Amino acid sequence: VTIRDPLAGEWHVEMAPQCPIKVAVITDVRLEVALDQDSYVADQAVQIAARLVADGASSPVPLPLEELIVIAELIPPNASEGRASPAAATPPLGQWHNTIYTPIPQPGEYRGRVIANAPTFGREKSFVFRVLPPQESRPPEDRSSVSPSPI
């Protein structure tokens, strides 16, 4: 059975006792992830935003939002695991949830992922971003021999 436009609310499935119970509800819900910048400089904080968006649903998507857990994880260069940050509260469908990581000191290419999980729902989105070395301080250019440009 496929239900293209599921109704909001609690669902009950009744089956004969001898039949195995396997039910899957497929929704057009996607996880969107956005970084506040394309790249960062070492010792700069990183902000990750995530939200669940329903495509083409004429009614609210029946997700177990009260049981939904959203986790963002940053994985440093040459590491297999990262630092996870769970959301304090799950935002309503369509609203952005922001996670801010304290300044990242090590330059390199970082991997990350955001996971939205509930007992009957799961989405994961991976991404990559670069942390650049801090800019070296240089003495100011000697511009004494340069003519000023007219305004």
Side-chain angles (χ1 to χ4, degrees), residues 73-84 104 106-113 127-129:
E73 179 184 29
L74 290 185
I75 305 165
N78 303 319
S80 60
E81 289 186 351
R83 181 172 47 147
I104 298 177
Q106 179 184 359
E109 187 170 275
Y110 283 74
R111 293 175 291 130
R113 64 185 182 154
F127 55 92
V128 176
F129 66 95

Side-chain angles (χ1 to χ4, degrees), residues 138-146:
R138 290 183 250 157
E141 277 185 40
D142 179 13
R143 301 190 50 88
S144 59
S145 63
V146 177

Side-chain angles (χ1 to χ4, degrees), residues 74-147:
L74 290 185
I75 305 165
N78 303 319
S80 60
E81 289 186 351
R83 181 172 47 147
S85 175
T90 302
L93 194 67
Q95 290 187 7
W96 289 101
H97 168 74
N98 294 310
T99 301
I100 298 176
Y101 283 88
T102 54
I104 298 177
Q106 179 184 359
E109 187 170 275
Y110 283 74
R111 293 175 291 130
R113 64 185 182 154
V114 174
I115 302 166
N117 229 355
T120 59
F121 175 82
R123 296 290 186 274
E124 182 175 324
K125 187 85 167 194
S126 297
F127 55 92
V128 176
F129 66 95
R130 181 167 281 289
V131 175
L132 305 171
Q135 296 177 349
E136 296 177 11
S137 58
R138 290 183 250 157
E141 277 185 40
D142 179 13
R143 301 190 50 88
S144 59
S145 63
V146 177
S147 309

